[in-house]
């Protein structure tokens, strides 16, 4: 009887929902941010501060991208260089947004107090962080089925149509008929 049973393939790891992903995003990003804030002054003792900050920023972004792929968004695999570049692009955009907010503050109020500086910076950082989370979740680390607006990829076996890389034969419920599924290459936004 046991020999007649066919083993079912193990399901793909489930991806965390939006709220769980956001909490993980904050924990990972915040943890790496705290480590970075401790690492920059230690490195700055041996090199110029700007160089130390640049090195820690690059290392922190690489580490965050790895953590976001494996933990925050649960892709089940390490990110490739394309995802690292896209993640870096979103980090640069967040940096530019916070910098623009601070320049705007100084244009409106040439000598703002520390409370205003912190309020503007933290608000801009929070909004940039939410924007970065959305970009990473919806584009960089999204399943192709999520990006295409489908609820999930079929677990049924598919056969490629010879000479047509975007056509696949999908076994239907009726064994005398087959469905043809048209797949489209993933549209991936530029990192710039």
């Amino acid at each position: 009887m046991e020999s007649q049973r066919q083993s079912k393939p193990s399901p793909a790891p489930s991806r965390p929902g939006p709220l769980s992903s956001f909490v993980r995003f904050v924990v990972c990003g915040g943890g790496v941010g705290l480590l970075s804030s401790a690492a920059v002054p230690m490195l700055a003792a041996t090199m110029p501060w700007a160089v130390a900050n640049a090195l820690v920023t690059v290392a922190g972004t690489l580490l965050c991208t790895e953590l976001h792929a494996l933990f925050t968004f649960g892709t089940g695999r390490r990110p490739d260089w394309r995802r690292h570049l896209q993640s870096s692009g979103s980090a640069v955009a967040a940096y530019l947004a916070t910098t623009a907010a601070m320049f705007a503050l100084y244009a409106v109020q040439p000598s703002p107090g520390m409370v205003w500086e912190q309020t503007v910076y933290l608000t801009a950082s929070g909004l940039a962080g939410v924007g970065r989370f959305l970009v990473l979740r919806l584009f960089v680390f999204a399943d192709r089925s999520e990006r295409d607006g489908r609820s999930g990829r079929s677990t049924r076996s598919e056969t490629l149509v010879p000479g047509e890389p975007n056509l696949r034969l999908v076994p239907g419920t009726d064994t005398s008929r087959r469905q043809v599924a048209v797949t489209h290459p993933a549209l991936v936004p530029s990192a710039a």
Side-chain angles (χ1 to χ4, degrees):
M1 181 161 258
E2 287 295 319
S3 62
Q4 292 177 355
R5 287 188 187 170
Q6 293 179 355
S7 64
K8 294 182 181 179
S10 61
S14 65
R15 293 173 55 98
L19 182 59
S20 178
S21 289
F22 186 73
V23 169
R24 293 175 183 199
F25 178 81
V26 170
V27 169
C28 288
V32 170
L34 288 174
L35 289 174
S36 297
S37 67
V40 170
M42 292 186 338
L43 279 177
T46 63
M47 63 184 68
W49 185 90
V51 174
N53 187 38
L55 289 173
V56 169
T57 299
V58 169
T61 302
L62 289 171
L63 177 59
C64 273
T65 302
E66 293 284 335
L67 291 173
H68 291 326
L70 297 172
F71 180 69
T72 302
F73 301 109
T75 63
R77 63 187 179 281
R78 294 184 63 200
D80 55 12
W81 283 107
R82 179 181 56 87
R83 285 196 168 120
H84 273 291
L85 287 173
Q86 290 172 328
S87 179
S88 297
S90 70
V92 168
Y95 169 79
L96 293 175
T98 55
T99 301
M102 294 307 290
F103 279 136
L105 171 65
Y106 290 122
V108 172
Q109 177 79 24
S111 302
M114 183 181 282
V115 171
W116 273 109
E117 287 178 334
Q118 289 298 308
T119 301
V120 169
Y121 180 77
L122 291 174
T123 302
S125 293
L127 292 173
V130 169
R132 185 160 187 255
F133 169 78
L134 291 172
V135 167
L136 293 177
R137 179 161 175 88
L138 299 175
F139 297 104
V140 178
F141 295 112
D143 277 346
R144 183 176 175 181
S145 60
E146 289 174 358
R147 241 190 336 262
D148 292 343
R150 295 186 305 254
S151 62
R153 185 162 244 234
S154 173
T155 57
R156 295 179 283 180
S157 62
E158 298 177 345
T159 306
L160 287 174
V161 175
E164 295 291 335
N166 292 333
L167 290 180
R168 302 179 189 290
L169 294 177
V170 180
T173 54
D174 181 359
T175 57
S176 64
R177 296 185 351 202
R178 291 183 178 260
Q179 298 173 345
V180 176
V182 178
T183 59
H184 301 282
L187 299 176
V188 180
S190 169

